[in-house]
Amino acid sequence: MTPQLTDKYMVTIAERLTSAYARIANAAKNAQRNSSEITLLAVSKTKPSTDIAAAYEHGQRQFGESYVQEAVDKIAQLSALSDITWHFIGPIQSNKSALVAQHFDWVQSVDRIKIAKRLNTQRLADFPPLNVLIQVNISTEEAKSGCSVDQIPELAEFISQCEQLTLRGLMAIPAKSDDPAEQIQSFEQLQTCFDKLKAQYPHIDTLSMGMSGDVEAAISAGSTMVRIGTDIFGTRT
Ligand SMILES: *Cc1c(COP(=O)(O)O)cnc(C)c1O
């Protein structure tokens, strides 16, 4: 297909998306894994719906958003692209949980029972169950969202009993590090949590970890979903 030369912008997103897939394939190969086991989530927060449409045009279907109202507006603007799968990946405030339950297919940032309970009640009965990841905080920084490793079993137990929620696995955002050895250490800790959880809930299939700065380390530690924003859509202001 000939790129639209008048729209360089669109070509750029397509090219960056191709590079992101190549990077995943290369990381998978180095980890002796099959790249088909790894989903690329394109993180489009703060970017306009035209950017999402450009990525869609290039075949991308999984998108991640972090700010509820901004996301709901973009989802409405793009409602014609009905096969997009929308993932909510930002912190969830109680007063916004209904919007999340009504507009998303996945929520990756469930870190407390109170929010799980609200999402379950607010997810309408004629919708398929909401896919849920438990967000885990493995770094000790207090400000970060996510439950502690110790809290995973209780939260998983609760979610697994919710009719309108389907537990799919774990998500984490480890403390930023430029040191690959440090990155791998955090991701391996998460892999251990995931393996433990999977022993109890064999149907879970998603370990969401790795972003623009640490895709390789995450894939070497078993990530099944990398969340890439900057490398596809450019820096955020
Ligand atoms: C913003 C964000 C990303 C994407 O980060 P980049 O460094 O831009 O790739 C991934 N995951 C979460 C939870 C985010 O909030």
Side-chain angles (χ1 to χ4, degrees):
M1 203 175 77
T2 313
Q4 289 171 269
L5 295 176
T6 49
D7 198 352
K8 281 196 179 158
Y9 188 50
M10 191 157 161
V11 174
T12 302
I13 286 176
E15 284 170 351
R16 285 176 164 174
L17 201 49
T18 300
S19 306
Y21 276 101
R23 186 178 174 197
I24 291 167
N26 192 50
K29 189 168 160 235
N30 289 336
Q32 293 176 305
R33 298 183 57 203
N34 191 330
S35 63
S36 66
E37 295 167 15
I38 302 150
T39 300
L40 168 58
L41 183 70
V43 177
S44 45
K45 64 184 181 207
T46 79
K47 300 295 177 179
S49 51
T50 46
D51 284 12
I52 298 172
Y56 179 93
E57 192 72 18
H58 199 62
Q60 182 64 29
R61 292 294 180 271
Q62 310 275 333
F63 291 91
E65 288 282 339
S66 302
Y67 309 106
V68 178
Q69 195 53 58
E70 177 202 322
V72 167
D73 292 345
K74 288 191 274 185
I75 292 169
Q77 287 159 17
L78 295 166
S79 61
L81 310 181
S82 60
D83 59 343
I84 289 182
T85 300
W86 294 102
H87 297 244
F88 190 73
I89 61 175
I92 310 172
Q93 294 164 286
S94 291
N95 62 350
K96 297 281 171 62
S97 64
L99 287 172
V100 173
Q102 287 157 17
H103 295 277
F104 285 83
D105 306 294
W106 287 66
V107 184
Q108 301 202 2
S109 43
V110 174
D111 62 0
R112 52 201 193 276
I113 286 177
K114 182 187 172 192
I115 291 295
K117 192 183 262 179
R118 290 178 69 90
L119 291 169
N120 183 51
T121 309
Q122 291 162 338
R123 182 72 166 180
L124 301 177
D126 54 347
F127 277 39
L130 192 55
N131 296 291
V132 170
L133 300 183
I134 294 173
Q135 183 176 351
V136 186
N137 181 0
I138 51 148
S139 27
T140 44
E141 296 159 71
E142 297 236 339
K144 280 256 177 68
S145 36
C147 72
S148 68
V149 169
D150 295 346
Q151 291 169 325
I152 298 172
E154 192 189 359
L155 189 49
E157 163 85 31
F158 183 84
I159 294 166
S160 69
Q161 288 173 7
C162 289
E163 197 134 318
Q164 283 301 86
L165 306 180
T166 301
L167 181 64
R168 298 294 295 267
L170 300 178
M171 183 272 259
I173 317 170
K176 242 199 172 84
S177 165
D178 293 330
D179 175 3
E182 238 172 60
Q183 293 173 357
I184 287 176
Q185 197 181 27
S186 304
F187 289 137
E188 284 181 344
Q189 239 179 298
L190 288 157
Q191 185 178 35
T192 302
C193 296
F194 182 71
D195 290 345
K196 264 194 205 158
L197 194 62
K198 196 169 165 68
Q200 206 181 346
Y201 303 94
H203 71 277
I204 68 166
D205 56 7
T206 305
L207 178 55
S208 172
M209 58 186 194
M211 318 197 332
S212 292
D214 51 21
V215 163
E216 287 75 16
I219 289 178
S220 79
S223 171
T224 70
M225 186 179 287
V226 291
R227 309 177 307 267
I228 302 183
T230 309
D231 277 3
I232 296 170
F233 298 109
T235 50
R236 292 177 294 270
T237 46

